[in-house]
Amino acid sequence: MADPATYRPAPGEIPDAPGVYRFRDADGRVIYVGKAKSLRQRLSSYFQDVAGLHPRTQTMVTTAASVQWTVVGTEVEALALEYSWIKEFDPRFNVKYRDDKSYPYLAVTLAEQFPRVQVMRGAKRKGTRYFGPYAHAWAIRETVDLLLRVFPVRTCSAGVFKRASQQGRPCLLGYIDKCSAPCVGRISEEDHHRLAEEFCDFMAGDTSRFERRLTQRMKEAAAELDYEQAARLRDDIATLRRATERNAVVLADGTNADVFGLAGDELEAAVQVFHVRDGRIRGQRGWVVEKVEDVDDAALVEHLLQQVYGTEDLDTGAVPREVLVPVLPTDVEQVEAWLTGLRGSRVRVRVPQRGDKRELAATVRKNAEHALMLHRTRRAGDLTSRSQALREIQEALGLPSAPLRIECYDVSHNQGTYQSASMVVFEDGLARKSEYRLFSVRGPQGEGAADDTAAMHEVITRRFRRYLAERSEASDVELGDGADGDVDDGMGPLASGPVDETTGKPRRFAYPPNLVVVDGGPPQVAAAAAALAELGIDDIALCGLAKRLEEVWLPGDDYPVILQRSSEGLYLLQRVRDEAHRFAINAHRKRRSKGMTASVLDDVPGLGPARQKALLRHFGSVKRLRAASVEEIATVPGMGDRTAAAVVAALSGSDGSGPADATAAVAAESTADVAADDRAPDPPGDRAPGSVAQSAGMLGT
């Protein structure tokens, strides 16, 4: 690695003017391109003490061997030149937006002698009008099939067109009036070109003009008693309406805007954009970006706008009047000026604050979260990727073999209350939900642990104490039979481990993991290591995954293990950590919701939720239940004499200070449980891990 001081420009050489700079490596390749209002101030920031730079910036300046710059007249010119150089040199340390797939466009080749309507992918061509992008090519073909009845533009390839011209006979579309057949001279070149331009105008949103024109012609034909022509025009009007109704109206004021959504974490982000024209969603597009440079959301949005609009042809329809973004770009005035120059009229870049536009922006963000989740799930589901991930974890942590069984632990609470912990299990890189476990953290006094490290110490101790007991075929009264507060998640059998020879039931904690992962940094790792050491366990690997920079911490190490951003091993560790996070939050919310409801029947021995509901359905209220005798209560299905006597004793000893009507209490409890389930993070593959992390921050995990 090079020392930045070896290629630092001499004082006074760097001009105090706007411009674009390039860092090159020892082989002369451009590795980073940036722009600045003041080249002197920006470049000086790279040559400060290396220890004070962001880790990504440290890597860039130590990889580089030289720096060059170009002065431009304005900041808008710098913005355009920066994007041009990024496209030309493809620098490794610049943010790159990768399309999550190749999106199809509806293209009209206006530059040809006889314009053609077709589906196109890939790079844009000069002289071609594009509409979209669309999610599926079949959506384009269905739209074109409808509109060809009104706008019979050529759709055939050059070979078919040439063959029809030579034979003097049009193709099938020409015979069924879905093509004006310019190949055989049924329409002149000028008229066909005008027909293609009208098709483009309709697709651009000018729909009412053509509907009014056809309506007028229909009335004229009806007045002249030409009912067959009037019927054909009526059907044409219905066709236009069906074509426009395929896109739901989302903004009633006929807004033309592009709405962007962003979701991500420290390493990567997913972006979605909805193209809204005339109040309707005309297309959708998405990207996934790796954060290879130190950028915040504002800088990401600026790079995104360069990506979307920098490659567009000089078609004013490509840039709308409004660009709605989740965060304003760093230099919003310069971005607006650049977009205004591309469009030829004023363009506003803003964050929607209220109304329909804000709701649509929230929908776009949800699509971005789903795209990020799908991106990670596809990587995790691939066998080759999972095998590579396990090998990378083995090499990074110095393990003797690949960690085929990984257990991850996380603690969730709300300012110390309702402390819950989760244990999730991944085998061969895939979630093993039947072996997930939940813990209610008690602490030494039974009121919860003092902090997260104490809670982690307790959970690790309880889990591996049970493992040692089951390994020696002993029983642990405190931790067995659910006495430790462990909660079954309802996802399947309690375990698939070795079977107890005495009872014939599967043992709950019999399998030891190859690797234990805790959610947190050095304090959590130290607490888990202390718990394992106290139990005499030294053959299980341990690490922690910190959220902020996704650093991997090993016990006793002063510095973390840094995995590459695109590492399959890091993706697997993130997935394990996020799943433990989701599971812990789910348990915490259920406990918190149940703790907020109370009933005088809760303390009756042997009276669970099902019997409570049966009593309240039978008697209607606590008041009537309190007036009932033991014999009357015993007649309720599921109730016995002993339980009925316990209910009477409990209600007679109640002073009425509890809920006036237990029906409301039980209903509230039931509703709270359902609400907790609804608010709990979704199962893996249904929600982006970044969103789970945000929810966890609110709960004080």
Side-chain angles (χ1 to χ4, degrees):
M1 291 187 178
D3 183 359
T6 59
Y7 63 89
R8 178 175 183 172
E13 287 185 353
I14 308 176
D16 187 15
V20 183
Y21 54 91
R22 294 171 288 179
F23 281 88
R24 295 180 179 269
D25 62 11
D27 297 325
R29 290 172 297 190
V30 176
I31 61 173
Y32 184 72
V33 174
K35 65 174 178 62
K37 296 180 181 179
S38 171
L39 288 170
R40 179 178 301 171
Q41 295 180 11
R42 177 62 59 82
L43 289 178
S44 297
S45 67
Y46 289 102
F47 296 101
Q48 56 178 296
D49 184 9
V50 176
L53 297 175
H54 190 278
R56 300 187 183 102
T57 308
Q58 288 181 14
T59 306
M60 190 273 291
V61 297
T62 54
T63 304
S66 63
V67 62
Q68 300 172 328
W69 58 85
T70 299
V71 178
V72 297
T74 64
E75 297 170 21
V76 177
E77 293 180 15
L79 184 70
L81 182 59
E82 178 195 30
Y83 178 74
S84 176
W85 278 359
I86 290 175
K87 294 292 289 182
E88 179 180 356
F89 299 114
D90 192 24
R92 56 179 291 197
F93 288 101
N94 278 97
V95 165
K96 301 180 184 67
Y97 284 89
R98 305 189 310 273
D99 255 329
D100 50 6
K101 61 180 177 179
S102 177
Y103 285 87
Y105 285 81
L106 172 59
V108 184
T109 57
L110 294 176
E112 295 186 9
Q113 180 181 9
F114 295 100
R116 176 190 176 192
V117 176
Q118 60 181 318
V119 178
M120 276 193 178
R121 299 177 186 264
K124 304 291 181 63
R125 302 177 185 177
K126 189 175 182 180
T128 300
R129 189 86 178 269
Y130 293 89
F131 301 94
Y134 288 79
H136 305 283
W138 56 260
I140 303 178
R141 296 188 179 97
E142 286 186 358
T143 300
V144 172
D145 186 67
L146 281 174
L147 294 180
L148 287 180
R149 178 186 176 93
V150 183
F151 306 101
V153 188
R154 168 199 163 203
T155 57
C156 60
S157 64
V160 173
F161 186 90
K162 182 178 180 181
R163 185 165 57 252
S165 301
Q166 293 172 346
Q167 295 176 352
R169 185 176 61 196
C171 62
L172 176 62
L173 293 179
Y175 284 106
I176 63 175
D177 295 328
K178 285 196 171 182
C179 179
S180 54
C183 53
V184 294
R186 289 187 184 176
I187 186 174
S188 66
E189 179 180 339
E190 295 77 15
D191 290 341
H192 185 268
H193 204 282
R194 188 180 307 109
L195 188 64
E197 289 177 344
E198 290 180 348
F199 178 90
C200 293
D201 291 342
F202 180 85
M203 291 300 303
D206 187 9
T207 60
S208 58
R209 174 165 64 97
F210 297 101
E211 188 174 334
R212 289 196 303 268
R213 187 175 69 183
L214 291 179
T215 302
Q216 181 62 30
R217 290 173 54 190
M218 179 185 67
K219 293 179 179 179
E220 293 175 354
E224 297 173 0
L225 304 182
D226 189 356
Y227 297 119
E228 292 184 0
Q229 177 65 12
R232 283 193 293 268
L233 293 172
R234 177 203 59 198
D235 295 339
D236 291 347
I237 295 172
T239 298
L240 293 184
R241 289 175 178 172
R242 285 200 305 273
T244 55
E245 287 170 358
R246 284 180 175 273
N247 300 98
V249 176
V250 293
L251 298 176
D253 56 355
T255 301
N256 289 341
D258 285 347
V259 187
F260 291 87
L262 178 67
D265 54 21
E266 290 288 333
L267 298 180
E268 59 184 5
V271 179
Q272 289 282 315
V273 56
F274 282 7
H275 301 284
V276 180
R277 297 296 182 268
D278 197 27
R280 291 177 169 85
I281 298 177
R282 298 293 186 183
Q284 176 186 0
R285 198 176 182 186
W287 299 265
V288 176
V289 57
E290 292 183 4
K291 296 184 179 179
V292 293
E293 59 176 305
D294 182 20
V295 292
D296 54 11
D297 288 347
L300 277 177
V301 169
E302 182 173 310
H303 290 311
L304 173 64
L305 298 182
Q306 288 179 316
Q307 169 87 11
V308 174
Y309 302 114
T311 58
E312 296 287 351
D313 200 358
L314 296 180
D315 180 8
T316 58
V319 184
R321 289 191 295 268
E322 274 189 303
V323 177
L324 306 180
V325 294
V327 179
L328 288 178
T330 307
D331 299 321
V332 62
E333 295 84 5
Q334 284 69 39
V335 172
E336 286 185 340
W338 174 61
L339 293 177
T340 298
L342 293 178
R343 177 179 171 82
S345 59
R346 175 68 186 278
V347 176
R348 293 184 60 200
V349 180
R350 66 186 187 89
V351 179
Q353 300 295 331
R354 62 183 64 87
D356 294 338
K357 293 179 181 178
R358 181 177 179 180
E359 293 179 3
L360 181 59
T363 300
V364 180
R365 175 179 170 79
K366 290 180 181 178
N367 279 264
E369 293 173 350
H370 178 73
L372 183 61
M373 173 276 301
L374 192 60
H375 169 72
R376 288 177 171 171
T377 302
R378 285 172 176 171
R379 296 185 64 129
D382 181 70
L383 178 61
T384 303
S385 299
R386 287 189 280 119
S387 301
Q388 180 182 348
L390 295 175
R391 288 196 303 269
E392 290 177 356
I393 294 175
Q394 176 188 355
E395 295 172 359
L397 303 185
L399 304 180
S401 60
L404 298 182
R405 179 183 172 99
I406 302 175
E407 292 181 3
C408 185
Y409 297 83
D410 187 25
V411 178
S412 179
H413 60 87
N414 187 6
Q415 298 181 352
T417 61
Y418 305 109
Q419 295 179 2
S420 301
S422 65
M423 177 188 105
V424 301
V425 180
F426 275 57
E427 290 187 354
D428 197 22
L430 294 177
R432 183 106 176 188
K433 293 185 180 180
S434 64
E435 300 195 22
Y436 285 13
R437 296 291 176 267
L438 293 172
F439 301 84
S440 295
V441 181
R442 294 194 301 263
Q445 305 299 326
E447 298 178 357
D451 53 25
D452 284 353
T453 56
M456 186 63 68
H457 183 278
E458 177 184 331
V459 171
I460 296 294
T461 300
R462 288 163 58 182
R463 186 266 182 266
F464 286 96
R465 187 190 301 162
R466 182 62 177 267
Y467 156 65
L468 294 176
E470 292 187 348
R471 188 176 65 175
S472 61
E473 297 185 354
S475 62
D476 190 321
V477 177
E478 178 189 359
L479 296 178
D481 299 327
D484 61 348
D486 296 0
V487 183
D488 180 18
D489 188 46
M491 292 187 178
L494 291 176
S496 59
V499 175
D500 190 299
E501 296 179 359
T502 303
T503 63
K505 296 181 179 179
R507 294 171 177 170
R508 303 179 67 188
F509 293 104
Y511 277 137
N514 302 110
L515 174 64
V516 170
V517 181
V518 297
D519 183 11
Q524 288 78 10
V525 174
L532 293 175
E534 292 169 4
L535 295 173
I537 297 176
D538 57 3
D539 58 349
I540 295 178
L542 171 67
C543 72
L545 184 60
K547 292 187 185 70
R548 192 171 68 89
L549 294 177
E550 307 294 13
E551 301 164 330
V552 180
W553 290 91
L554 297 178
D557 286 2
D558 295 329
Y559 299 97
V561 176
I562 305 297
L563 297 176
Q564 294 183 357
R565 289 177 299 273
S566 58
S567 166
E568 296 292 344
L570 180 59
Y571 273 98
L572 178 56
L573 290 177
Q574 284 178 316
R575 183 169 171 79
V576 173
R577 188 269 317 276
D578 293 337
E579 179 65 350
H581 212 56
R582 177 199 71 82
F583 205 47
I585 291 174
N586 197 350
H588 164 77
R589 285 175 171 170
K590 287 182 178 179
R591 290 189 60 201
R592 184 181 61 181
S593 298
K594 291 181 179 179
M596 292 179 179
T597 61
S599 170
V600 293
L601 301 176
D602 289 341
D603 297 329
V604 178
L607 192 67
R611 287 183 173 181
Q612 287 185 23
K613 294 179 182 178
L615 285 174
L616 293 171
R617 279 196 301 266
H618 186 273
F619 292 100
S621 68
V622 172
K623 182 177 180 181
R624 295 179 180 177
L625 181 60
R626 190 177 278 118
S629 64
V630 175
E631 292 76 12
E632 291 174 337
I633 296 177
T635 59
V636 177
M639 300 293 296
D641 294 337
R642 183 182 303 176
T643 306
V647 171
V648 171
L651 294 180
S652 62
S654 174
D655 59 359
S657 59
D661 192 341
T663 305
V666 174
E669 181 175 342
S670 178
T671 304
D673 290 343
V674 174
D677 291 339
D678 290 342
R679 292 193 307 268
D682 298 329
D686 290 336
R687 185 167 180 179
S691 302
V692 176
Q694 293 172 2
S695 300
M698 297 175 62
L699 292 172
T701 54

